[in-house]
Structures are given as structure tokens and as C-alpha cells.
Amino acid sequence: MGDAGGGDGIVRRATGVGVLDRVVAILDAVEARPMGASELARHLGLAVPTVHRLAAAMVVHGLLFRDAEGRHHVGSRFASTALAAAASPVLEELRRETGETAQVWVPRGDSRVCLACVESTSELRASLPVGTALPLSAKGSAAQALTEEPGESSRRWFESVSVRTPGLCSVSAPVHYATEIVAAVCVAAPVSRVRAEGPGAQWGALVVAAAERLEEALLSR
């Protein structure tokens, strides 16, 4: 059952689909505690190259997150379900506080996807339906928040004014899970309703507070 043999070790063949069973075994192991690929291989009795290959693919698909020390954690794909459940009351409160459209965005490869949205009740408002996908390269405030390096700065907000869509502005803050940025909370509004100092000065503190409430909700699930 050693690494060199490439056997299944303690991996249970629950389905008989070898790759799937190994992926589930890796998830079970890192859910108990973070592990590097070599430690995972020893723990599961799998070949080290096999675990490296599977873990790398799982990171790409958001099933695992690899921290700066090379340890693997359960990835952001699993946080999205909890985020969707927790987002509605947080966004409702944020809309009430700002009067503007409140959204949660999550990263998906090279894009960001709108996971939840509570629109402003004003006739003139920012409006994007849930499921909308936009490239992360389009540097709106949510894209900036999602692509910030974790730990790069203290908690802060990002703003954009007429960057992606002329006449619209937004302010966003990252949502952290473990050491990973898993989402961004965003308030979007017409520029005509923003004070001269900009959307960040007007709503940044409220957006950061909403992001913190989502983080607390993730930790409690």
C-alpha cells in the first residue's frame, strides 16, 4: 500500500469509479485537516504523482484550495452553497442601508458569476440577473476584490466609476473563507446618485460590514 505501488490504500471503492473515489477520499482527508500532497499520499496509501495530479485538477475546479505552505483545504466550490443560503438577508439589509442594488459575485475560472442579487427599488437602477458571467479582466470593483491577493492588505473596499458601463459605479469588498477569497459583496448604482467623494466613501464601510457578516455565516455552517 506504499506510495510506489500506486495502490488504493485506505481509499474505499464505494462506487468502483476509481478517480471519483480517490477525489472523495482526498476531500474527506482535507476536511479533517489541511494536508500537502505528499502527506495526503501517505495518509491514503496512494502514489505521490497520482495525488499531485488529482489535487492540481481539484484546485483548478475549486474543489480544493492550496495555501502558501502547500497544504490543501476544502475549496470555494463548497462555500458557494453556504454563500447562496446566507446571502439573501445580508443583501436585503445592504439594499435597505444604501437604497441601491446589492450583489454577491463568485470567481469561476477567468470569470466572475453573480450568485445572488437584490435590486434597488428605484426605477433607475443597476440590474444584472443572477447567473450573469463577466470576465475578471474587466476591472470593475467586484473583479478587483476577487483578484486581490489574500493577506495583501487589511480589510478594504474597491470602487469603480464608469469602468465597465458608462453611467454606473460600484463598490465591492472581498469575502474570505479560510485563507481564500471566495466571493465579493458589491453595491452598484447610477453615478447620478453618488456623492462627489465617490461610491467608496459613501458605501464602502457598509459593504465591508456586509462581507464580514457573510464570513461569519460561512464559519457557522
Side-chain angles (χ1 to χ4, degrees), residues 39-194:
E39 185 181 2
L40 273 169
R42 290 193 299 272
H43 179 73
L44 298 175
L46 295 173
V48 174
T50 297
V51 173
H52 273 289
R53 184 179 69 253
L54 288 173
M58 292 168 73
V59 168
V60 170
H61 289 290
L63 299 176
L64 292 179
F65 168 69
R66 187 174 184 270
D67 65 25
E69 297 178 356
R71 297 174 303 177
H72 292 90
H73 306 250
V74 173
S76 59
R77 283 277 179 174
F78 300 99
S80 293
T81 301
L83 273 170
S88 182
V90 172
L91 295 183
E92 289 280 0
E93 182 175 356
L94 187 57
R95 180 185 62 177
R96 179 184 58 77
E97 293 171 330
T98 64
E100 303 297 346
T101 296
Q103 305 160 331
V104 171
W105 293 84
V106 293
R108 288 291 181 267
D110 294 330
S111 300
R112 57 182 171 104
V113 175
C114 184
L115 182 72
C117 178
V118 176
E119 290 194 356
S120 170
T121 58
S122 299
E123 185 174 357
L124 178 63
R125 61 183 181 268
S127 179
L128 281 174
V130 170
T132 296
L134 298 172
L136 285 171
S137 57
K139 286 294 185 179
S141 66
Q144 294 177 61
L146 289 171
T147 55
E148 179 193 27
E149 287 296 323
E152 185 178 78
S153 66
S154 59
R155 164 73 68 183
R156 58 175 177 163
W157 45 260
F158 299 82
E159 70 175 3
S160 64
V161 179
S162 295
V163 170
R164 191 181 61 82
T165 303
L168 290 180
C169 64
S170 64
V171 56
S172 299
V175 176
H176 297 81
Y177 179 69
T179 57
E180 186 180 9
I181 293 173
V182 297
V185 176
C186 176
V187 163
V191 172
S192 59
R193 287 204 291 270
V194 178

